[in-house]
Amino acid sequence: MAERPLLREQTTGPQQTTSPEMRSSLTIRLAGDAGDSIQLMGQRLAHSAALQGHTIYTLPDFPSEIRAPVGSLPGVFGYLIVIDSDAAPIPGDGTDVLLAMNPAALKVHLAELMPGGLLLVDRDAFTIDNLLSAGYLSDPLNDASLADYRVCKVAITSTSREALEPFKLFRAEADRCKSLFALGLLCRLFDCSPQPTMGWLSAKFAKKPEVFQANQRAIEAGYRYGDSSEMVSAIALLGRYRIARARVVPGRYRQVSGHEAIALALITAATRSRRRLVYAAHPLPTAGELLHRLAELQRWAGCIFQAEDEAAAVGAAVGAAFGGCLGVTASSGNGLVRKSDAIGLAVITELPLVVVAVQHAGPSVGLSTKPEQSDLLLSLFGRNGECPTVVMAVSSPADGFTMTLEACRIALKYMTPVILLTDASLIHAAETWRIPEISTLPRLDAPLTTGPNSSVGEQGVSTPRSSSLTFSPTIAQGESVFLPYRRDQRLVRSWAVPGTPGLEHRLGGLEKEDETGHVSYDPRNHERMVGLRATKIARIADDLPPLEVNGPTQGDVLLVGWGGTIGPLRLAADRLRSRGFSVAHAHLRYLNPLPTNTPDVLRRYRTVLVAELNQGQLAWLLRGAFLIDCISFIKMQGKPLSIREIEQQVEQLLGLSTQVTG
Amino acid sequence: MLASSSLPLLPKDLASDCEVRWCPGCGDFSILAQMKKVLSVLGLPRERMVFVSGLGCAGRFPYYLNTYGFQTIHGRAVAVATGLKLARPELLVWVITGDGDGLSAGGNHLLHAMRRNVDIKVILINNEVLGRSKGQSSPTSRVGTRTKSNPLGTFDTPLRPLSVALAAEATFVARTVDVDIDHLGETLLRAARHRGAAFVEIYQNCNVFNPDVFAYASDKAVKFDNVVYVEHGKPMIFGKDRDRGVRLNGLTLEVVSRSQVASSELLLHDETLAEPILAHLLARMTYQPDDPTSMPEVMGVLRAVERPPHHDQVEAHQTGCDPSEVDLAAFYATGETWTYEENEPPGNQLP
């Protein structure tokens, strides 16, 4: 293979030691045009890294437009990969390595690269046209603008083309392989084997051996290029990384994205509860991914229904629940608002319903692909009347599996809607997931009622509140009856479904009479029913795990968060503790009801700092619920919290620093 | 409540223990009575019947029947019924809606249930006014109707429910009137027996907020001159003395005198035509008061064709297995998996 000479002046930047830098975690960003197969490159690199014994976390950053012009800024596709040694891989504040396949990719993602970070560019793509498309007035590879980084210019396009010359491909075909060339090079640089990708490609192109061979050649060429004396000396000069092996529980693993984890859990919940899954959704950006995934898993899933709008989707899920199925729907952003009415219906009819809500920046359509945590109070209170539901939150892609199963468990056990909050970033991100042993999965009991649950004359049934029953001419004293709103000791009513002889009854959105479920305008009955519905939800707290604390059980500062911010908060607390500060972290997975020990935990710290991607909604809730003062740290940029900004905030609280950047 | 669900059912077995609370003289009483009769002759046990409704006066309908019932929220009855039917295809699911509930908030769902041919029976009780909210214009209020929201007269062009259903590819479309109990009962029975989405518009008299708006079509003294009862395969003849007929002239329908036109020229009704052009024409026939050349309005089944219902299509396209049969271990192992072992390099576990 003809290798292009890599001249000494092509490598610039600070001199580094030649021994590899050992890292516990490395954050890599791949970026290029949508046509550059960035996602494929990223997924394969991540998989190879996982097979080397690392945990991985990935997050695609889709272009804002569906088909943006080649080489333009809106057309840049970015893919973040974290190769980690921790069981729960977490992206760092910035990227350690950036691969920019063209000038636009460099422009969009350079700001994330840490000073001193490794910058790999396809120098062939830095043409005048591409530079102009990206808005560069001078070539950044030839001016001083990249002086803070370790720059490695690689002729990716031309070297890849040369390697593929024997295949006599059209240029466009050959150029499609350049991402595989780059993948081979990355594998070499980060000590990953290209073999798993070869195997994957051979399966993918089993019927097109010539395509497979060209792809294989491109990967090999890239990998060998990393071994070339020029590259070796360049990297030796720039310095290289090694990443520690992960400390994880032994077992069988796979990658799951946020939506995949939820899809797997929904099918698991159907199986464990023996209730058929009816998933009804209207595709919106981000939540639509879940619909696609379940459609792909069709042969395992129950019934997938693409509804005409958000109201129809939740309506169908409620109808399916009335029919005895596991009714599930999903929304993102303002879609949840359109579902409020029917969620209220499921509250008053006390039917099980799971609503997955993918939060994105708002209001209205806002930034429909950017994560935010601004639908918390909407989920708790965004319906007319006193309308309590269970609200829980997913904190990482793989956690989506656990929490979705949990949402289904609670919905079925307590006959209630559950809103499961996730966000636009969590739903697309993927991470290493340990495949559970089937015997460790929770049981989901969802028994249907098959016979009468009362007899007339027993205590409660003939009280004045059941007036319409008492005065019914058709029922005799002592006769067995079915009362749809008769409750067990947990205040849960019976689930009797159409098709069951003898249990015919009517549900509805009008206030019901206690026990019989008949329409009732009686003022005292209404007050009683409001109380029953509230108490039923509040008592679910007894069935939830307590709020756990990472760090000292009492001390100076407690960092409190919920949802997708778990990584930065945990790392910030870890780092502060390693510097000798008394800082703990607690992450709420259940937002309504809150775990029963929540106020006790909060009271054990001098300062409670609630960090969230909204205007302080959880802080507002905690203050209101417990009269405990909380300091709010808020961020509204459609971006995750950074570890450093949390540390700085805590330093300021501790009187160590006055400089806070947000 | 626990009266036996054994067959045969009598109409009285279908009454629930709820007191019926429509206004005295409301057309809904007649519809409820006919519905009970129809249900009793279907040969189905009560527990297999479900009535789903939205808001409005029609929304109370499920409470008065001793079957399963679900009064939902404004406009969403069809959506809930669609989900119920997906969950339980073996049930006979009725949707009771009105011109306000079904064509305002519920318009969109109605269209999609029709095009999907969801096997639900949609009964749209049309009184051209919002009754439950105490007398405002509805999407079917005819121009000039004085209501609380349009005291000087409604000016928006009304929707024609049958045309809406036909445009949405409904496979069964019919119209009847509340007080013509035999025709009402027969129409409901045919709807019940149709496999797929059935849409029935019932002219109903709201004697409080829009009294006698359909008197021309219900009053025995005049109705035979103002409506034509269509029957499959029969010529379209009407009039108290059966002296008039309907003829197709080019692309329009016209009323002709039978004394001047041969019977062979009269339009033969065909409810089974694959293309619903004729049904569209029939749906648009509109009675014009004080116009001697007025068209009669159509009563009966305009369209009844076969198309696989939604749940058949779902079954054909989605072979999702019974949840109790899913092998979760095999399910999780789909895709690429690998093993982390203690202190050993992980092996590659390609599928």
Side-chain angles (χ1 to χ4, degrees), chain A residues 44 51 54 245 250-254 268 276 301 304 308-309 323 480 497-500 502 505-509 521, chain B residues 1-2 47 60 62 65 67-69 71 83 86 88 108-109 116 318 320-321 323 332 334 336-338 340 344 346:
Chain A
R44 300 322 310 168
L51 296 186
H54 305 299
R245 290 277 299 279
R252 203 150 169 83
Y253 282 77
R254 62 181 278 187
T268 305
R276 188 157 165 261
I304 312 302
E308 57 272 18
D309 59 28
S480 293
V497 305
T500 317
H505 64 279
R506 274 64 58 193
L507 297 181
Y521 290 96
Chain B
M1 240 187 186
L2 273 193
E47 67 267 16
R60 295 298 182 90
L65 286 164
T67 65
Y68 282 92
Q71 180 183 13
L86 282 170
R88 307 293 295 272
N108 190 31
H109 309 311
R116 291 185 182 117
Q318 301 189 358
C321 43
Y332 296 148
T334 52
E336 292 174 298
T337 66
W338 65 87
Y340 287 130
E344 275 176 47

Side-chain angles (χ1 to χ4, degrees), chain A residues 294-545:
Chain A
L294 280 162
E296 282 169 22
L297 297 172
Q298 194 103 86
R299 77 189 179 92
W300 308 92
C303 170
I304 312 302
F305 176 57
Q306 180 182 335
E308 57 272 18
D309 59 28
E310 298 289 326
V314 67
V318 170
F322 180 51
C325 287
L326 174 60
V328 180
T329 185
S331 267
S332 43
N334 45 350
L336 182 60
V337 180
R338 289 175 229 147
K339 286 185 156 62
S340 288
D341 195 358
I343 296 172
L345 179 66
V347 167
I348 197 167
T349 53
E350 302 188 45
L351 284 169
L353 173 71
V354 174
V355 180
V356 178
V358 185
Q359 301 170 99
H360 65 63
S364 187
V365 184
L367 301 169
S368 64
T369 58
K370 300 297 178 194
E372 211 166 79
Q373 298 181 309
S374 41
D375 298 339
L376 174 62
L377 295 182
L378 167 68
S379 303
L380 264 86
F381 304 117
R383 293 167 293 281
N384 66 303
E386 295 292 349
C387 195
T389 62
V390 176
V391 180
M392 354 197 311
V394 174
S395 57
S396 79
D399 184 51
F401 182 84
T402 312
M403 294 312 277
T404 303
L405 263 187
E406 185 66 352
C408 296
R409 180 185 76 88
I410 291 174
L412 294 168
K413 183 171 174 183
Y414 294 96
M415 296 287 282
T416 175
V418 176
I419 298 179
L420 179 63
L421 291 166
T422 176
D423 70 47
S425 176
L426 282 173
I427 206 89
H428 287 122
E431 67 179 344
T432 320
W433 176 60
R434 180 160 180 255
I435 297 176
E437 294 294 331
I438 307 304
S439 59
T440 64
L441 293 171
R443 278 174 58 87
L444 274 69
D445 288 323
L448 301 181
T449 304
T450 54
N453 57 4
S454 321
S455 64
V456 175
E458 74 177 273
Q459 197 191 359
V461 179
S462 60
T463 59
R465 351 180 254 282
S466 306
S467 52
S468 57
L469 184 65
T470 313
F471 298 125
S472 168
T474 57
I475 298 170
Q477 195 78 359
E479 189 179 335
S480 293
V481 290
F482 172 69
L483 297 176
Y485 280 79
R486 181 119 244 230
R487 294 164 196 279
D488 63 15
Q489 67 280 11
R490 301 164 305 166
L491 301 182
V492 179
R493 73 171 193 90
S494 309
W495 194 10
V497 305
T500 317
L503 305 191
E504 293 84 4
H505 64 279
R506 274 64 58 193
L507 297 181
L510 293 169
E511 182 60 285
K512 28 227 41 351
E513 186 180 63
D514 191 15
E515 304 205 321
T516 64
H518 292 166
V519 175
S520 169
Y521 290 96
D522 177 53
R524 291 204 174 275
N525 175 75
H526 171 60
E527 191 164 74
R528 178 179 165 77
M529 294 302 281
V530 168
L532 281 170
R533 289 188 286 262
T535 309
K536 179 179 91 167
I537 300 300
R539 283 193 193 164
I540 295 173
D542 298 335
D543 191 16
L544 304 181

Side-chain angles (χ1 to χ4, degrees), chain A residues 2-79:
Chain A
E3 237 121 62
R4 305 198 122 228
L6 189 76
L7 299 177
R8 178 118 323 195
E9 77 256 18
Q10 283 178 290
T11 58
T12 58
Q15 292 284 318
Q16 295 291 320
T17 168
T18 53
S19 65
E21 183 191 343
M22 198 67 182
R23 303 283 297 252
S24 62
S25 173
L26 194 67
T27 303
I28 302 167
R29 168 78 71 183
L30 313 178
D33 251 333
D36 287 339
S37 307
I38 299 295
Q39 181 153 9
L40 179 128
M41 205 193 316
Q43 283 170 341
R44 300 322 310 168
L45 179 65
H47 186 65
S48 297
L51 296 186
Q52 294 304 121
H54 305 299
T55 52
I56 48 103
Y57 173 97
T58 63
L59 179 62
D61 184 7
F62 298 103
S64 44
E65 308 299 334
I66 306 275
R67 292 271 186 273
V70 173
S72 68
L73 297 173
V76 173
F77 185 102
Y79 198 86

Side-chain angles (χ1 to χ4, degrees), chain A residues 241-322:
Chain A
Y241 303 108
R242 289 199 62 199
I243 308 139
R245 290 277 299 279
R247 302 173 301 275
V248 294
V249 179
R252 203 150 169 83
Y253 282 77
R254 62 181 278 187
Q255 284 186 52
V256 283
S257 63
H259 52 81
E260 226 167 5
I262 295 170
L264 292 170
L266 289 177
I267 292 167
T268 305
T271 302
R272 299 294 286 181
S273 63
R274 311 224 158 185
R275 298 280 112 224
R276 188 157 165 261
L277 173 67
V278 174
Y279 179 83
H282 177 66
L284 281 182
T286 62
E289 304 289 332
L290 188 53
L291 177 65
H292 305 166
R293 182 48 54 133
L294 280 162
E296 282 169 22
L297 297 172
Q298 194 103 86
R299 77 189 179 92
W300 308 92
C303 170
I304 312 302
F305 176 57
Q306 180 182 335
E308 57 272 18
D309 59 28
E310 298 289 326
V314 67
V318 170
F322 180 51

Side-chain angles (χ1 to χ4, degrees), chain B residues 131-212:
Chain B
R132 188 85 209 162
S133 54
K134 301 197 170 59
Q136 302 81 12
S137 304
S138 93
T140 57
S141 296
R142 52 196 73 195
V143 171
T145 308
R146 291 171 187 262
T147 67
K148 284 185 183 162
S149 53
N150 289 98
L152 300 180
T154 304
F155 45 81
D156 291 330
T157 301
L159 281 177
R160 298 164 189 267
L162 300 185
S163 297
V164 171
L166 287 166
E169 307 293 342
T171 52
F172 181 94
V173 177
R175 181 193 281 147
T176 183
V177 61
D178 54 2
V179 292
D180 190 346
I181 56 174
D182 291 340
H183 191 260
L184 171 61
E186 282 161 25
T187 309
L188 292 176
L189 186 61
R190 280 207 57 190
R193 289 182 170 155
H194 177 71
R195 201 158 181 275
F199 181 86
V200 178
E201 178 190 17
I202 305 178
Y203 284 174
Q204 183 251 34
N205 187 34
C206 176
N207 58 332
V208 175
F209 294 110
N210 204 12
D212 299 330

Side-chain angles (χ1 to χ4, degrees), chain A residues 87-300:
Chain A
I90 294 165
D93 278 352
T95 51
D96 303 302
V97 179
L98 170 62
L99 168 68
M101 296 294 281
N102 65 18
L106 178 66
K107 186 148 207 177
V108 170
H109 288 291
L110 185 64
E112 302 156 4
L113 188 61
M114 303 289 267
L118 179 62
L119 172 63
L120 292 157
V121 295
D122 179 5
R123 68 166 189 208
D124 294 330
F126 281 66
T127 60
I128 291 174
D129 280 354
N130 281 348
L131 287 165
L132 289 175
S133 291
Y136 278 115
L137 298 175
S138 115
D139 184 350
L141 302 185
N142 292 320
D143 62 25
S145 57
L146 303 177
D148 286 345
Y149 311 100
R150 296 185 265 168
V151 183
C152 183
K153 302 172 215 171
V154 185
I156 292 175
T157 306
S158 54
T159 315
S160 168
R161 274 181 200 160
E162 280 166 29
L164 293 172
E165 252 167 27
F167 291 89
K168 307 274 181 238
L169 300 173
F170 291 113
R171 177 158 284 191
E173 290 175 317
D175 284 357
R176 275 204 287 275
C177 295
K178 73 183 173 189
S179 58
L180 292 165
F181 177 91
L183 175 62
L185 178 58
L186 293 169
C187 282
R188 184 69 196 89
L189 291 180
F190 301 115
D191 300 315
C192 296
S193 166
Q195 282 312 315
T197 300
M198 303 284 197
W200 182 81
L201 284 168
S202 93
K204 185 173 165 69
F205 294 114
K207 288 178 182 162
K208 293 179 179 170
E210 67 291 347
V211 176
F212 166 66
Q213 282 160 13
N215 284 332
Q216 184 184 34
R217 174 66 65 89
I219 295 182
E220 285 169 356
Y223 195 80
R224 278 212 305 278
Y225 191 83
D227 266 341
S228 67
S229 56
E230 292 83 0
M231 197 67 198
V232 167
S233 58
I235 291 296
L237 192 70
L238 295 172
R240 54 178 300 180
Y241 303 108
R242 289 199 62 199
I243 308 139
R245 290 277 299 279
R247 302 173 301 275
V248 294
V249 179
R252 203 150 169 83
Y253 282 77
R254 62 181 278 187
Q255 284 186 52
V256 283
S257 63
H259 52 81
E260 226 167 5
I262 295 170
L264 292 170
L266 289 177
I267 292 167
T268 305
T271 302
R272 299 294 286 181
S273 63
R274 311 224 158 185
R275 298 280 112 224
R276 188 157 165 261
L277 173 67
V278 174
Y279 179 83
H282 177 66
L284 281 182
T286 62
E289 304 289 332
L290 188 53
L291 177 65
H292 305 166
R293 182 48 54 133
L294 280 162
E296 282 169 22
L297 297 172
Q298 194 103 86
R299 77 189 179 92
W300 308 92

